Every structure is written in C-alpha cells, then in structure tokens.
Amino acid sequence: MSPRRSEADEAPKSEGRGLKTAPDELWMEEALRCAQRALEGGEVPVGAVVIREGRIVGRGWNRNIIDFDPTAHAEIMALREAGATVGNHRLNDCELFATIEPCPMCAGALLHARIKRLVYGADDPKAGGVVSVIQVLNHPQLNHKIEVRSGVLASRSAEMLQTFFRNRR
C-alpha cells in the first residue's frame, strides 16, 4: 500500500492561529472511511489512520480475508504504511486513530511502534486489548506509555460493525 498524498491528508488550520491541528473527530472520520473500504471488500469494517505532525502518514483497513493474513488488521496495515512513509519502525511522534478498540495483537504493535497516542471509537467487549478484555497498554512494567482516548464517534463505529454482523447472519 503506497501512501496517497493530497490536501485532504492535512489537518485543517485552526482559525486565527494558523496551527495545523484537527479535532480527533476529523481524524476519526478518515478512519471510518477506511472502515468503509474494508466493508466494501467483504471484511469486518475496521479502519485506522496514523497521524504525524498534522498529516496522515498511514491508512489501513481490515484485509485478513483478502490477503489470507491473520495479522492484516486495520491498525497493523496503518502502522506498516506509516513506517514506510516515515522511514522508521519507531513512530514516537505519531497518533493512531482506530474505529474500534485494538485487539491484544494490535495493542502490542502500538507499543512496539512507540505510538504516543491512541484514539479509538467503540470498545470491543469480546476481544479488546486496551480496556475491555486485556489491558496490554500501560502495564507498570513496560517502559513505554501510550495516551489513550476512547469513545470518539463510538456510536457510528459500533453501528457499522453491528450492521455488518447483522447482515451476515
């Protein structure tokens, strides 16, 4: 997956200050667009984006089925693209936005990438690796801590997932 650069990849400038900052909801909108791409491919609709200095450096959506790859979760795909874009496996100055609480595998990848901040939509009561089932992040014995914000556009993220699973039954 090669990154596509456009003006849409930049955060809108805050009025009056000229700062390249965007509210979390705007980045989550992009993650929801990625989730829609997963849905269109017949995958569980989960999307993620990695942000660095007000720009998208990685996008991902679930590709497990298409790629025959159990690790092809949205967060992993976004981290892979971000690492290639940045030219480093360490993403210390990056934030990841995901439509659902990352699973334990993805939470572990966030730690290894040294992501500074995670923002996600809906909790995952069946497989969440941040707060719901297993608390992988911010264990006292780990040397890296990740700031976490949950619940951003949670109802939209949850509805997309619920509709997907309802339609599969």
Side-chain angles (χ1 to χ4, degrees):
M1 223 187 317
S2 64
R4 294 176 305 276
R5 296 279 174 244
S6 72
E7 288 184 25
D9 288 346
E10 284 190 43
K13 294 185 182 205
S14 298
E15 290 187 30
R17 296 186 309 242
L19 299 174
K20 286 186 179 178
T21 59
D24 291 345
E25 291 76 11
L26 291 180
W27 295 125
M28 190 61 73
E29 290 283 353
E30 185 63 31
L32 284 163
R33 283 190 279 283
C34 289
Q36 182 63 39
R37 290 191 69 173
L39 182 63
E40 291 165 2
E43 301 276 355
V44 176
V46 177
V49 292
V50 177
I51 307 303
R52 180 180 187 220
E53 297 174 355
R55 292 179 172 266
I56 296 172
V57 293
R59 287 183 176 85
W61 50 90
N62 276 3
R63 296 185 52 89
N64 313 53
I65 298 166
I66 294 168
D67 290 351
F68 308 105
D69 181 354
T71 69
H73 289 196
E75 300 92 332
I76 301 294
M77 303 307 287
L79 289 172
R80 287 176 183 164
E81 185 173 283
T85 300
V86 171
N88 197 331
H89 69 289
R90 297 287 190 226
L91 302 170
N92 303 13
D93 53 351
C94 295
E95 302 171 288
L96 186 133
F97 290 74
T99 57
I100 192 167
E101 176 183 359
C103 73
M105 175 186 69
C106 292
L110 296 175
L111 284 168
H112 286 289
R114 303 295 194 262
I115 289 289
K116 75 173 180 179
R117 184 169 179 251
L118 165 66
V119 178
Y120 69 87
D123 287 334
D124 184 352
K126 294 184 179 180
V130 179
V131 296
S132 296
V133 178
I134 299 171
Q135 293 78 41
V136 175
L137 301 184
N138 300 329
H139 188 280
Q141 289 185 294
L142 296 174
N143 65 351
H144 182 69
K145 305 296 181 214
I146 297 175
E147 179 187 339
V148 177
R149 179 178 180 207
S150 63
V152 177
L153 302 183
S155 61
R156 288 182 52 201
S157 298
E159 178 59 32
M160 186 180 278
L161 286 162
Q162 289 165 355
T163 300
F164 173 80
F165 287 114
R166 195 170 29 248
N167 291 339
R168 286 187 56 140
R169 291 183 195 137

